[in-house]
Amino acid sequence: MQQVVLNLVVNALESMDEGGKLTIRLGQKDGMAELAFTDSGCGMTDEVLDNIFEPFFTRSRTGQGTGLGLTISHRIVTGHGGEIEASSPGPDRGSTFRVRLPLQPPAEEADGKMAA
């Protein structure tokens, strides 16, 4: 999960001009812990939002990166029984990434049995 947080923070910082703002909130909703990363950066179009977690898809303003960070983050989060989503009101209007993780392990894991 440390890699997910690091990736989301770095992406947010790279999407903003100097003086931009990144807000990170932690909360609880429907039995899930929720981390929300909201930036004042370049925002995203609907096309970008539709493809944001696809391997090798990138819209990095720095021209660096492989387009794998969000794909790997998605795999890590879902591997922990969680979900990750991205939203943006549009270009130049910032973005929000929400990571939700269960507060309790699935019943099979809680009983000491791993799901097949």
Side-chain angles (χ1 to χ4, degrees):
M1 289 310 305
Q2 180 180 1
Q3 182 63 42
V4 173
V5 171
L6 179 62
N7 186 54
L8 293 174
V9 169
V10 168
N11 285 357
L13 294 174
E14 288 179 351
S15 78
M16 297 184 290
D17 293 326
E18 188 172 328
K21 182 178 179 180
L22 170 61
T23 303
I24 303 172
R25 291 190 171 89
L26 175 62
Q28 182 178 334
K29 183 178 178 183
D30 301 327
M32 305 280 270
E34 181 177 277
L35 272 168
F37 300 79
T38 302
D39 66 62
S40 62
C42 62
M44 295 180 275
T45 64
D46 288 341
E47 176 192 359
V48 171
L49 287 168
D50 288 344
N51 295 289
I52 196 74
F53 297 110
E54 294 296 319
F56 306 109
F57 182 84
T58 183
R59 290 294 181 262
S60 173
R61 293 181 349 147
T62 65
Q64 298 177 352
T66 62
L68 289 173
L70 289 173
T71 300
I72 292 168
S73 294
H74 185 271
R75 287 184 185 162
I76 292 169
V77 171
T78 57
H80 283 85
E83 51 196 43
I84 183 172
E85 68 180 21
S87 62
S88 175
D92 300 319
R93 297 178 63 198
S95 302
T96 298
F97 283 81
R98 294 184 194 285
V99 175
R100 292 183 194 91
L101 296 164
L103 291 170
Q104 298 294 324
E108 303 87 38
E109 291 181 28
D111 293 337
K113 301 174 194 165
M114 297 300 291

